[in-house]
Amino acid sequence: MTETWKIKNDNEAEWIIEQTNDDLLEIERFKYSLEEKIETLRIKLNKLNDEEDSIKERRDSYLLEYFETIPEELKKKTKTQEKYRLPSGEIVKKYPAPEVRRENNKLLAWIKENKMNDYVEVKEIPKWVELKKITQTVNGQVVTEDGEIVEGIEVIERPPVLEFKEV
């Protein structure tokens, strides 16, 4: 059985650091090259997207102008849109619902003032930061100061992480 190589002293540790530094520098250089290539491709893609958007906007402005000249009886209408069919597709003019922006504090005050409490949502959530202060982890379980096991908490141990920091 062959023995795997292990670091036995500081000189060997320094040697492995030097060996890996060369590899890491090459990887870093290659990553930088790839990132530059990605950025170049991203710029090209953005230009194509802009060109596509411009073509669609121009087409849609012509179609909207034409759509407004079509007699109403030839359009199919609903509350939210109008349609006109062509052999190659449909021209659809949509009427989206208005955007509603709420100031929840003012709205809540109004609801309470008008005694409409059925329209108030109350959420109960544990105050974990405060509960954590009066508990500790013992044998993989969270327990209170008097030893009672706290239910609803799973403790997942994580392995230590070794880092090498260059000086």
Side-chain angles (χ1 to χ4, degrees), residues 27-153:
I27 288 171
E28 197 60 35
R29 183 204 60 79
F30 191 62
K31 281 172 48 177
Y32 181 75
S33 286
L34 289 173
E35 286 170 1
E36 282 186 333
K37 182 74 170 175
I38 289 169
E39 185 57 28
T40 301
L41 292 172
R42 188 172 286 121
I43 289 168
K44 288 180 180 181
L45 179 61
N46 287 341
K47 284 181 183 177
L48 278 176
N49 285 336
D50 290 346
E51 184 180 342
E52 179 184 37
D53 290 345
S54 176
I55 290 168
K56 286 180 178 179
E57 283 177 24
R58 189 169 52 251
R59 176 202 63 197
D60 292 351
S61 71
Y62 287 129
L63 289 174
L64 178 60
E65 187 178 341
Y66 171 67
F67 186 80
E68 298 303 329
T69 67
I70 298 169
E72 295 299 314
E73 62 271 7
L74 297 178
K75 299 175 189 175
K76 183 178 179 183
K77 292 183 184 181
T78 67
K79 276 182 160 181
T80 58
Q81 65 184 20
E82 295 178 67
K83 286 184 187 181
Y84 181 71
R85 289 178 56 188
L86 293 169
S88 59
E90 293 180 327
I91 303 172
V92 181
K93 184 177 181 180
K94 294 184 178 182
Y95 301 100
E99 179 181 349
V100 177
R101 293 186 181 163
R102 298 183 312 268
E103 285 189 44
N104 283 337
N105 292 339
K106 286 183 180 179
L107 178 58
L108 187 58
W110 182 88
I111 289 171
K112 287 180 176 181
E113 185 179 304
N114 288 281
K115 297 177 178 38
M116 300 173 74
N117 293 333
D118 289 348
Y119 298 96
V120 176
E121 181 179 342
V122 178
K123 287 186 178 181
E124 291 183 359
I125 60 170
K127 293 181 181 179
W128 172 242
V129 173
E130 291 162 28
L131 179 63
K132 187 176 176 183
K133 292 175 185 174
I134 63 162
T135 63
Q136 59 184 345
T137 303
V138 177
N139 296 327
Q141 293 186 311
V142 176
V143 296
T144 61
E145 292 168 333
D146 60 358
E148 184 178 345
I149 295 173
V150 179
E151 293 184 24
I153 300 175

Side-chain angles (χ1 to χ4, degrees), residues 4 8 14 129 132 137 162:
T4 59
K8 296 175 195 76
E14 283 294 320
V129 173
K132 187 176 176 183
T137 303
L162 178 74

